[in-house]
Amino acid sequence: MSALARQMSFDLAGEGTHVGGYAPLRQALAAHLRTARGVVCEPRQILVVSSTRAALSSLCRLLTSPGDRGLVEDPGYFIVGRALADFGLEPVSVAVDEEGMVVTPSLPAARLAYVTPTHQMPLGVRLSDRRSAELLEWARRGDGWIIEDDYDSEFRYVGQPVAALQGSDTSGRVLYVRTFAKLLFPSLRLAFMVVPKTMAKALERAVFLNGHEPPLHVQAALADFIAEGGYAAHIRRVRRIYRRRQELLVDELNRQLHDIVDLHPPSGGMNIVVPLPAHIAAETVQAEAARQALHVRPLSYYAQRLAAPNALHLGFAALPERLIEPSVRRLAAIVRGLDLDR
Ligand SMILES: Cc1ncc(COP(=O)(O)O)c(C=O)c1O
């Protein structure tokens, strides 16, 4: 990035030269997505924006009218419900179970559904094949849109990669969204969408009107990084590091709290869910932990209208290996203290 910023060619310094995204980045992403995620698209179907929120705002601008309904996972990425409400939409909560969003034939009609099918945020479950098919059918039948947020799918540690829903959509109802906030780093401010060919031009205009394009030299740096193999190497390396951190965290929790918590480690991602017995409220653990400068979140943090299970949502991606055992020791002491208070 600094090399490109120093050179700052005319092409990268101007405006209006790469509407929709830096052309070589769109090409690099299209090639990468096909092999890594089974996403089928041409470069012109990819629109580069600064964040998932920016993508959502352009999609709402183009596709929705005030009063429309938008289905959201509950618990889920809570920003989505807020953003939809901000656009005058009515967010409708849909529960999530071990097969992902509870998609049944009686799913309410809505303009759109926002889902994290590969790895649900925050529960970490995968949308089952049955539910995926049902959701695609829901969209086809009711002219609804599915916004597929594929935020952390490349961090998968066990089993075969799960292909994106977009690849099995034959009706052009899936709008694929992905941020680099997790795969690279949040302040990069880079994300993109993949949309049907028929929508690409109109969405380019919506992105332009919103002014949501990331700087071109940043896009160019990512294009080079992907094309030169740096991105794939980065993902392999980080995957190894995160897998190890997840293993250590799960081992420590099992060792220190085996009589209290029953863990089902997820197949990937950057967080794990730690279910707690009813008499140890996750919110109380959070408050007690905060007093000791230990940052943990209850699942209820992600709840919207439905009650979330009593559990903690622990992030391990930023936790160096040497801190895992002492952190779990402190957390275990808090949980045991609350267990005794009963
Ligand atoms: C499911 C999910 N998608 C996307 C994001 C972030 O997206 P962005 O910062 O690109 O808007 C988050 C951040 O926490 C998230 O949890």
Side-chain angles (χ1 to χ4, degrees), residues 48-190:
V48 182
V49 288
S50 54
S51 63
T52 307
R53 284 156 286 150
L56 188 58
S57 130
S58 290
L59 289 170
C60 283
R61 182 180 195 124
L62 185 68
L63 301 173
T64 69
S65 313
D68 283 352
R69 288 198 286 191
L71 307 185
V72 295
E73 297 167 325
D74 195 348
Y77 178 37
F78 49 88
I79 297 283
V80 177
R82 280 197 226 153
L84 294 184
D86 214 45
F87 270 93
L89 271 72
E90 183 198 341
V92 178
S93 285
V94 182
V96 181
D97 65 15
E98 59 286 348
E99 281 189 67
M101 190 190 226
V102 181
V103 187
T104 59
S106 58
L107 195 65
R111 188 75 178 128
L112 59 87
Y114 192 98
V115 272
T116 48
T118 310
H119 190 242
Q120 204 268 338
M121 176 71 177
L123 296 179
V125 293
R126 175 171 98 79
L127 190 67
S128 67
D129 293 344
R130 189 169 61 106
R131 296 250 177 101
S132 299
E134 195 78 66
L135 186 61
L136 289 169
E137 176 53 23
W138 167 88
R140 202 191 53 74
R141 224 179 26 236
D143 267 346
W145 297 102
I146 299 169
I147 302 183
E148 172 175 25
D149 180 353
D150 202 29
Y151 68 107
D152 73 350
S153 55
E154 296 198 45
F155 295 145
R156 195 173 162 82
Y157 313 131
V158 290
Q160 293 297 313
V162 178
L165 191 61
Q166 194 269 5
S168 49
D169 170 30
T170 51
S171 317
R173 307 307 304 181
V174 174
L175 313 166
Y176 178 94
V177 177
R178 162 96 77 88
T179 179
F180 282 100
K182 287 161 196 289
L183 298 164
L184 291 168
F185 56 98
S187 70
L188 187 63
R189 295 295 80 211
L190 237 160

Side-chain angles (χ1 to χ4, degrees), residues 4-25:
L4 282 159
R6 267 198 308 275
Q7 295 159 10
M8 198 49 99
S9 63
F10 187 76
D11 184 41
L12 294 183
E15 192 190 32
T17 37
H18 292 274
V19 177
Y22 184 60
L25 177 59

